[in-house]
Amino acid sequence: MSETKKYTYPKSLSILKFFWNAEAIRKNPIPFHHRFFEKYGDTFSVRLNRKRYLLLSRDKEVVEYILRKNHKNYYKSKIQTDYLSKYLGHGLLTINGDYWLQQRRLIQPAFHKKKMEQLVGLMQKTIEKELEALPLQQETDVFPIMNRLAFQVVAKSLFHVSAADETLERLQYIIQQVQEFLVKEVRLPHKAWWFRLTGQVKKHLDLSLESRAILREIIEERKQSQENHDDLLDMLLATRYEDTGEPMTIKQLIDEITILFVAGHETTANALSFTSWLLANYPEVQQKVYEEAIKVSEETDNPIEQIQKLEYTKAVIDESMRLYPPAWITDRENLEDDTLGNYHIRKDTLVGISFYELHRHPDYWEEPDRFMPERFLGENKKKTAGVYYPFGAGPRLCIGLGFAIYEMVLAVAHLVKHHSITTQKESIKLNPLITLKPLETYVTFEKRVKK
């Protein structure tokens, strides 16, 4: 498209209105997004300067086009490649182009179904250990419990017995601190000078360096070890590039492991927390999960076979992630001018895709705000195609999808099999960071009495 050709964009939100609400949007953009979608349509724009636009969409055709049909023209935005990589390194989440494709092809085999099945026994033991001493008969925020559980599952799957608990706890703390600051930097770019002046940037860069030093030590110790641990680190150390036959460098390993921690633990922790709270609010659904868990455990003690049979439990998790998608938004930038629906957009347009809004769109979902696991059972599941993206789509589909599903199904089944969950809270607060995090998810656990 030549420079003389006219560019067209959807209805535009005033940049003044956008910045007027900047602080409130930073704290929780979801209500603002919904209001703007209702007012301006399923795709709207914000004009950032004379040539630069921001688009936000919940239109399924736009989403399909960007993530699948023309994905080669849409790279991860500089928000992810620049801001995130500054702290998290250059791993699958933060890179584009040929290097991304090279790393994806290298790492993908470690997440093959057969490889994941090797980790399920370890995963199950970790889940059982983390859930064996839940606080009983008192209101408890479930997120810290699920956050620790998910972190331990990733850590044990990565390192098996290579790292001490205090080391893992320090890693978890650093990742949480860095993520929260990242969101500030992304949402408040006009305060970048203040963050530098007050030392906040340096503080979090130092934390990032500390986490990398911890990971380097673990990797170096493993490379010297002659033992076989059957964990993800062993698998990653064994990978070789097709063209050179060389393994990843330690720097590359640290980058990819950092991304696995960030992308692989809090998303799952969020989903498990939302699911626990929803089960507490829907006792009839919880009862069905309990009955299925009992039935399946009587049929087999093989965790892989159990996961395959826990169909209703999986549907509950799917519906939970529809209402509260852990990866609630993603963004892309187009490399070349493009036609997006009825609009002709200039290259380097920033396009945000709201999975949260897409998953609740009344044109695509019957009673969209209602918790109905049956949407994901049998023939009903066909209706979710093209409008349900809990793990993204296309070539960028989350590499750890299978790992996350195994973990969540085992965790929910084990939790409900051994505990009943109740709550006094009928609504929940959201904290949309890089992932969609729940706030004040208070529930009460009771031991189930064996009959």
Side-chain angles (χ1 to χ4, degrees), residues 6-60:
K6 184 180 179 183
Y7 295 100
T8 57
Y9 290 88
K11 285 185 180 179
S12 182
L13 166 70
S14 160
I15 188 66
L16 291 176
K17 183 181 287 188
F18 184 80
F19 277 114
W20 181 259
N21 293 301
E23 185 62 26
I25 290 174
R26 181 190 72 80
K27 290 179 179 177
N28 186 358
I30 286 177
F32 291 92
H33 288 179
H34 182 74
R35 191 184 313 161
F36 298 150
F37 279 127
E38 292 296 300
K39 183 174 182 179
Y40 297 106
D42 287 347
T43 304
F44 67 87
S45 65
V46 181
R47 188 170 186 172
L48 303 176
N49 56 41
R50 192 171 68 86
K51 291 185 176 182
R52 182 108 162 117
Y53 279 81
L54 160 68
L55 266 61
L56 197 65
S57 184
R58 63 175 184 181
D59 184 311
K60 71 174 184 178

Side-chain angles (χ1 to χ4, degrees), residues 263-297:
H265 103 271
E266 189 158 309
T267 49
T268 304
N270 295 345
L272 288 172
S273 300
F274 284 121
T275 303
S276 299
W277 176 77
L278 285 164
L279 287 169
N281 270 283
Y282 291 82
E284 70 284 2
V285 174
Q286 186 179 163
Q287 180 63 25
K288 288 182 181 179
V289 171
Y290 171 69
E291 290 171 1
E292 182 180 69
I294 292 295
K295 179 175 180 290
V296 168
S297 65

